[in-house]
Amino acid sequence: MPGAFRYRLAGTGREARTVEDLRRRARRAVPRMVWAYIDGGAEDMRTVAANRLAFDRWCLRQRVLTGHPARDDLRVEIGGDTLELPVILAPTGLTGLTHWRGELAVARGAERAGTRMVLSSAATYSLEELGAGTEADHWFQLYPWRDHDLMGSLMGRAAAAGMRTLFVTVDVPVQGGRELELRHGLATPPVLTPLRVLDAAVRPRWWYGFLRHQRVSLRNLVDEGGAANAVRSVGRQAGLIRADLSWHDIEWMREQWRGALFVKGILEPDDAVRALDAGADGVVVSNHGGRQLDGAMASLDALPGIADAVAGRGQVLFDGGVRRGSDVIKALCLGADAVCIGRPFLYGLAVRGEAGVADVLRILRAEIARTMTLMGVHHVADLDRSWVVPARQSPIPGTEAR
Ligand SMILES: Cc1cc2nc3c(=O)[nH]c(=O)nc-3n(C[C@H](O)[C@H](O)[C@H](O)COP(=O)(O)O)c2cc1C
């Protein structure tokens, strides 16, 4: 193929090479209302921005001529499962809004890459649908609902569906101020204006899937009846979340759940220690992707202190702002055993369903392997704080006097 033609083909941008490529395409693939849900955050989105900026404050070290061959074994053990790469797909609620195949497509995309998805309590596919439609044992995320019977029943269903790892999300005592979502009409019920209907209609692929399959209800709660009966669609789950949750509730969940239990939404070392004291197997350092407390610190800034406090007593997972393989590496160097991603796989899902989720994991896998080879690191387990240095504040030494 002549070089110029090849260049033009590449220039059409059909092949996504980075997560950011997929983000740009995802924005065009879904209506603005859905984009506000996927990509938005709380209030002024300071914490959303802080999550990304925090990665720029660290540089990777580069050792040369190490004699190591390029390496593609990125395996890690988390919660008793072996993952082919240190990237887990975080729980995201209402994923059927992004693409009608929702959480099922995400779980299958994760399987293709040899990793796991965490099914949200607010998922649009049920535990049983996921169990029937997937091969691997995925993980479950539980919100601390008001009702112990409801939590007990959900944990029982998750275990029956073959799930052995539970995330308990503790940073939603109340829903964050998602103003962008409200501005675009994402409420219960959605506020539909002629312009918003038109905005959806000009995306026929999304519109058809949405209208035909209507994956908008919180499927696991709909199946529960009782207290959960009140919850049918977007946003209503807020009324069931307990604001007065305490560490005793984590102890109670620990008694009920036999598999690995991670407390998600930890930003303070003391809280990480309390989670372990309450019986958790690990914590997820997370500010919910900046969707809850706006002004909270960047997850990456919280990570080293928490890793020090945990000191090997449990596993440390991390999420918030990971968009590149080098971000994964920095988090692993600063004490994470693996990272979770949220928005990146939603971008892939919006663009081409299950295949798009697989694209994101393929891109990240290649970036992680390449970055490790360039750094001169041989094993994921070798990544520690000696492989990063704080980025120097300007002025760069030696340039001040010029
Ligand atoms: C659209 C969306 C929905 C989410 N829903 C949930 C949820 O139901 N439960 C939960 O624990 N976290 C939820 N999260 C937070 C993610 O699990 C994760 O903490 C966050 O997305 C990580 O940041 P990142 O998007 O920058 O990767 C959601 C995130 C997004 C983007």
Side-chain angles (χ1 to χ4, degrees), residues 110-276:
E111 270 175 21
R112 286 204 206 175
T115 187
R116 300 289 191 283
M117 177 197 75
V118 189
L119 185 74
S120 166
S121 287
T124 55
Y125 277 75
S126 71
L127 286 153
E128 293 74 18
E129 285 176 304
L130 195 80
T134 55
E135 300 280 324
D137 295 335
H138 291 276
W139 303 352
F140 185 56
Q141 175 262 324
L142 187 67
Y143 274 120
W145 312 105
R146 275 182 202 294
D147 187 319
H148 270 203
D149 289 345
L150 173 58
M151 286 195 284
S153 168
L154 285 171
M155 283 190 264
R157 285 173 56 196
M163 297 180 167
R164 290 190 307 269
T165 298
L166 185 73
F167 279 24
V168 180
T169 298
V170 293
D171 57 5
V172 189
V174 64
Q175 182 95 337
R178 316 264 177 86
E179 292 155 13
L180 198 69
E181 290 175 15
L182 294 176
R183 209 169 296 141
H184 287 282
L186 191 68
T188 311
V191 185
L192 291 178
T193 61
L195 260 184
R196 285 181 187 141
V197 172
L198 186 68
D199 185 43
V202 294
R203 294 167 174 85
R205 205 165 50 96
W206 181 90
W207 198 212
Y208 174 76
F210 176 77
L211 288 180
R212 168 121 199 262
H213 302 282
Q214 303 243 353
R215 284 281 170 173
V216 284
S217 60
L218 309 187
R219 216 33 88 94
N220 288 298
L221 300 179
V222 169
D223 291 347
E224 281 290 331
N229 250 345
V231 185
R232 285 274 180 257
S233 57
V234 186
R236 292 274 289 279
Q237 78 269 31
L240 284 179
I241 294 170
R242 284 186 53 180
D244 58 351
L245 188 81
S246 78
W247 292 106
H248 296 305
D249 296 275
I250 301 295
E251 285 164 13
W252 178 82
M253 289 176 210
R254 175 69 286 178
E255 280 163 23
Q256 313 297 311
W257 183 258
R258 291 188 157 192
L261 189 153
F262 288 84
V263 179
K264 176 174 183 280
I266 297 289
L267 289 177
E268 293 291 337
D270 286 355
D271 284 345
V273 171
R274 296 199 72 170
L276 298 178

Side-chain angles (χ1 to χ4, degrees), residues 51-62:
N51 276 348
R52 288 292 303 131
L53 288 172
F55 288 98
D56 294 342
R57 289 197 285 276
W58 292 95
C59 295
L60 300 170
R61 298 186 70 184
Q62 168 184 297

Side-chain angles (χ1 to χ4, degrees), residues 90-93 120 141 143 169 264 288-289 291 319 321 323 342-343:
T92 57
S120 166
Q141 175 262 324
Y143 274 120
T169 298
K264 176 174 183 280
H288 217 105
R291 300 165 73 81
D319 74 28
R323 302 292 180 267
R343 294 179 186 89

